[in-house]
Amino acid sequence: MLGLSSIIGSGWLFGSWEASRVAGPAAIISWVVGAIVIGAIAFNYIELGSMFPESGGMSKYAQYSHGSLLGFIAAWANWVSLVTLIPIEAVAAVQYMNTWPWKWASWTHGFMEKGEISNQGLLVVFLFILVFTLLNYWSVNLLARFTSVISILKLGVPMLTIIMLLLSGFHSGNFTSAGGFMPYGSAAIFSATTASGIIFSYNAFQVVINMGQEIKNPKKNISRGIVISLGISIVIYVLLQFTFIGSVIPADLANGWHGVDFESPFADLAILLGIHWLAILLYLDAFVSPFGTGVSFVAQTARTLAAMKDNGHMPKFLGIINERWGVPRIAMVVNMIVSVLLVAIFRSWGTLASVISTSTLIAYLTGPVTVKSLRKMAPNFKRPIRIKLLEFMAPFAFVLASLATYWAMWPTTIKVIGVILLGLPFYFYFEWKTNWNKTGNQFKGSLWMIGYLIFISIISYLGSSDFGGINLIPYPFDFVVIIIVSLICYYWGISSYVVTKNLDNAKAVNDKVQMK
C-alpha cells in the first residue's frame, strides 16, 4: 500500500496528457518503455534492498562498494529527486484547484498564470508542503495508517475514470487521425518517456527500499512490495493513456496532438463528456493522490537526507532521530525549506517532473554497478534474494538508464547535472576537515562516474535535434553511441570498486539479516 500510494500520485493526473502532446497515440508505447526501464533498474535493487534492509538504504549502497565520493554523488542525486517530489505533488493539487468549476471556488482561479503557479497559488503550495511535513512529524505508524486508507481511494478513482470515459465517449478514430498512430516519429516515443513525466510516475518503487528498516520480513516483503506495486501501476497507467487518447473530442485535434491544451486533463474531459459527478470526484482525487504521495515522500526524503550523514560528508545533526516518534525531524524541516525554495524557482509540473526523472536516473546508474561489484568484493555476504541473470540484467539496466537520461533532452540534462555538482562543496569541505585523508582512493572509485557525466553532457548537446541537441549525431546513431559508451562505463565501474571502512559498515548491516 505504501508503494502504491507513492507511485499513483500526480503522474496519473497529468502524465497521459503530457505524453500524448509529445508522442500522440504512440504515448502508449512510451509507458511500456518506461515500465521496462524502471523494472530493469528495480530488478537490481531488489538484491541490494534485501542485503541491506536499512532506513534510507539507496543513499548508501554506492558508498559500500566504491567509497565516499561516489556514495555522495549517488546520495545527493537521489536526494535532489526526492526533495523535488514534495513540491511537485503540491503543485499538482493546486493546479487542479485552479479549474474548480463552482461559483464559491472562484477565489482559486488565480492559482495559475501562463501555465505556471502564480504568487497566490504559491502560498497554497507552501501550505500543502507544511501539512505534508506535519503529518510525518509524529511517527511512522501514523504515516502507515494514513497511506493505507488513501491507497484504496487512489486505486479506485483511476479505475472508475477509465471505465466511465470508455463508456461515455470513446473515439477509436483518434488512434489513426491527426497524423496517425505515430504522428511525430519514433523518437518522440522515447522523449515522452522521460520529458513527459513517465519515468517520474514510476519512480516511487524505491520508497519500499528506503523504508527497509521498518519493513517486517524484508527477505519476502521488499521484493513483493516492489513487484506488486509496480505491476499494478503499470496496468493502470497504460489503461489511462489508452483511455485519454480515445476520449479526446476529435474536433480538438484540428491542430494535432501538440494543440491539445488542458489544465486539469481528466476532469476537463469528464466535463466535456457531461459526467459532472466524475469531474467532482476527480477534483477530490486531485487532492488525495498528490496528498498521499507527498506525505509518503516526506518520510522517505527525510530518511534519505538523514542517511547521508553516515557518508561522513554532511552535518551530523541531520541524522538525529527523535527518540519518541522514531523520525528524523531536523531532516524533515530542512527538506521542507528546500522544497519551498525549489517550487519558488520551478513553478510548473512539467519542469519539476523533468528534474526529478533525470536526477533519479543518474542516482540509479550506481545500482547495477554496485550489485555486481559486491558480488566480487563480498561473495560471502548474506543474500536473501540472489537475483538470476545478473550478468545480463545489470548492464542492461545501466544502458536503459543512460538512454532515459538522454531522453530528458538538452538543456535539462546539463541543468540537472549542474544541480548535482552543486553538492560537491559539502563533500570537499568535510574532506578538508579530515586533511584529505584517502581522498585519492575515493576518486579512484568514482572516476568512471565523473567520466560518464561528462560524456552524457556532451552527447546530449551533440546529439539528435529530436532530443534538443545540435544534430551532429542524428537519431538513431546517437542511441548506438550511448549504448557503446555506457557499456564501457559500466565495466569500468565494476572494475573500480574500492575496499574501505564502508565495507565494514555494510557487513555490520548485513550480519543482522535473517535468511529464513
Side-chain angles (χ1 to χ4, degrees):
M1 284 299 192
L2 188 62
L4 269 175
S5 181
S6 302
I7 293 172
I8 308 295
S10 61
W12 91 266
L13 296 168
F14 294 99
S16 297
W17 167 60
E18 294 271 7
S20 64
R21 293 185 70 191
V22 174
I28 291 173
I29 302 175
S30 300
W31 286 96
V32 175
V33 171
I36 293 170
V37 172
I38 291 297
I41 293 168
F43 190 82
N44 292 271
Y45 276 102
I46 287 174
E47 179 169 320
L48 290 170
S50 66
M51 287 175 68
F52 309 110
E54 54 186 328
S55 182
M58 291 188 72
S59 295
K60 302 178 182 179
Y61 303 147
Q63 180 178 329
Y64 291 157
S65 60
H66 287 76
S68 63
L69 179 53
L70 184 68
F72 183 87
I73 293 171
W76 183 269
N78 193 40
W79 175 73
V80 167
S81 71
L82 293 176
V83 80
T84 311
L85 266 164
I86 300 169
I88 198 176
E89 298 303 325
V91 166
V94 171
Q95 185 164 336
Y96 262 70
M97 287 174 68
N98 182 68
T99 59
W100 278 356
W102 309 287
K103 289 183 179 180
W104 62 265
S106 59
W107 59 276
T108 68
H109 295 168
F111 288 174
M112 295 289 295
E113 191 175 274
K114 297 179 180 178
E116 294 188 341
I117 297 292
S118 66
N119 290 334
Q120 180 187 353
L122 204 58
L123 294 176
V124 184
V125 170
F126 292 165
L127 180 61
F128 269 96
I129 293 171
L130 176 63
V131 173
F132 292 167
T133 303
L134 291 178
L135 275 172
N136 279 273
Y137 208 69
W138 293 286
S139 89
V140 172
N141 290 333
L142 178 63
L143 167 67
R145 294 191 199 102
F146 181 81
T147 52
S148 291
V149 172
I150 276 188
S151 293
I152 296 170
L153 185 59
K154 290 176 72 172
L155 282 173
V157 175
M159 294 306 296
L160 184 62
T161 301
I162 290 167
I163 293 168
M164 292 309 302
L165 291 182
L166 287 175
L167 292 175
S168 302
F170 190 77
H171 308 282
S172 58
N174 288 354
F175 288 86
T176 53
S177 62
F181 181 74
M182 202 181 296
Y184 308 117
S186 58
I189 294 172
F190 301 110
S191 61
T193 302
T194 304
S196 299
I198 291 175
I199 292 291
F200 153 72
S201 298
Y202 288 128
N203 170 54
F205 80 87
Q206 63 168 294
V207 71
V208 180
I209 294 173
N210 280 329
M211 299 287 281
Q213 195 170 353
E214 288 89 354
I215 292 176
K216 294 180 180 179
N217 193 358
K219 176 181 178 179
K220 292 183 178 180
N221 290 331
I222 286 179
S223 58
R224 285 176 178 173
I226 292 173
V227 172
I228 294 172
S229 59
L230 264 181
I232 293 173
S233 63
I234 288 165
V235 173
I236 291 174
Y237 279 132
V238 171
L239 286 174
L240 282 166
Q241 184 67 70
F242 177 81
T243 303
F244 181 86
I245 292 166
S247 298
V248 173
I249 307 299
D252 290 341
L253 297 176
N255 296 319
W257 287 96
H258 287 336
V260 176
D261 191 17
F262 292 121
E263 283 190 348
S264 307
F266 282 105
D268 290 346
L269 278 177
I271 290 172
L272 287 172
L273 294 171
I275 321 172
H276 294 283
W277 65 266
L278 179 61
I280 293 172
L281 189 60
L282 284 163
Y283 282 123
L284 172 64
D285 192 65
F287 257 88
V288 173
S289 286
F291 211 88
T293 302
V295 169
S296 298
F297 270 93
V298 165
Q300 184 182 350
T301 307
R303 281 164 176 75
T304 299
L305 184 58
M308 286 174 69
K309 64 93 181 175
D310 294 336
N311 185 289
H313 294 85
M314 291 294 280
K316 290 183 179 179
F317 66 81
L318 291 174
I320 296 174
I321 305 294
N322 180 272
E323 292 184 6
R324 181 179 179 185
W325 301 111
V327 293
R329 285 183 163 182
I330 296 175
M332 280 185 186
V333 173
V334 171
N335 285 335
M336 182 179 71
I337 295 169
V338 174
S339 296
V340 166
L341 292 173
L342 277 169
V343 77
I345 299 169
F346 304 109
R347 297 195 180 193
S348 75
W349 189 90
T351 303
L352 289 167
S354 293
V355 171
I356 292 168
S357 298
T358 312
S359 54
T360 300
L361 289 163
I362 290 171
Y364 284 161
L365 283 164
T366 59
V369 173
T370 293
V371 70
K372 180 60 180 173
S373 297
L374 285 170
R375 288 272 185 100
K376 294 183 176 182
M377 299 170 66
N380 297 323
F381 272 25
K382 297 175 185 176
R383 289 175 169 80
I385 301 174
R386 187 182 179 90
I387 60 174
K388 299 178 181 179
L389 303 174
L390 186 66
E391 294 294 335
F392 170 76
M393 287 302 299
F396 179 64
F398 191 94
V399 167
L400 288 181
S402 299
L403 288 168
T405 301
Y406 175 72
W407 299 338
M409 301 174 62
W410 178 274
T412 301
T413 44
I414 191 65
K415 286 180 179 178
V416 174
I417 289 171
V419 170
I420 291 169
L421 295 179
L422 284 176
L424 290 181
F426 285 98
Y427 179 85
F428 290 118
Y429 169 74
F430 283 97
E431 285 294 292
W432 170 72
K433 285 190 68 175
T434 58
N435 297 315
W436 308 100
N437 185 31
K438 298 183 180 179
T439 304
N441 201 34
Q442 309 303 331
F443 265 99
K444 176 188 173 184
S446 60
L447 197 57
W448 67 272
M449 174 59 87
I450 296 170
Y452 173 86
L453 291 176
I454 293 171
F455 159 72
I456 206 70
S457 301
I458 293 172
I459 190 66
S460 184
Y461 176 70
L462 298 179
S464 166
S465 56
D466 293 306
F467 301 96
I470 62 173
N471 214 39
L472 189 64
I473 307 174
Y475 172 79
F477 299 106
D478 48 353
F479 282 25
V480 175
V481 173
I482 291 169
I483 290 169
I484 293 171
V485 178
S486 294
L487 287 173
I488 292 171
C489 289
Y490 166 78
Y491 288 107
W492 181 10
I494 62 175
S495 65
S496 299
Y497 65 81
V498 290
V499 178
T500 66
K501 63 179 181 180
N502 295 301
L503 191 62
D504 295 331
N505 298 336
K507 188 176 186 305
V509 177
N510 186 252
D511 284 343
K512 299 176 184 178
V513 171
Q514 299 294 323
M515 293 298 290
K516 294 182 180 180

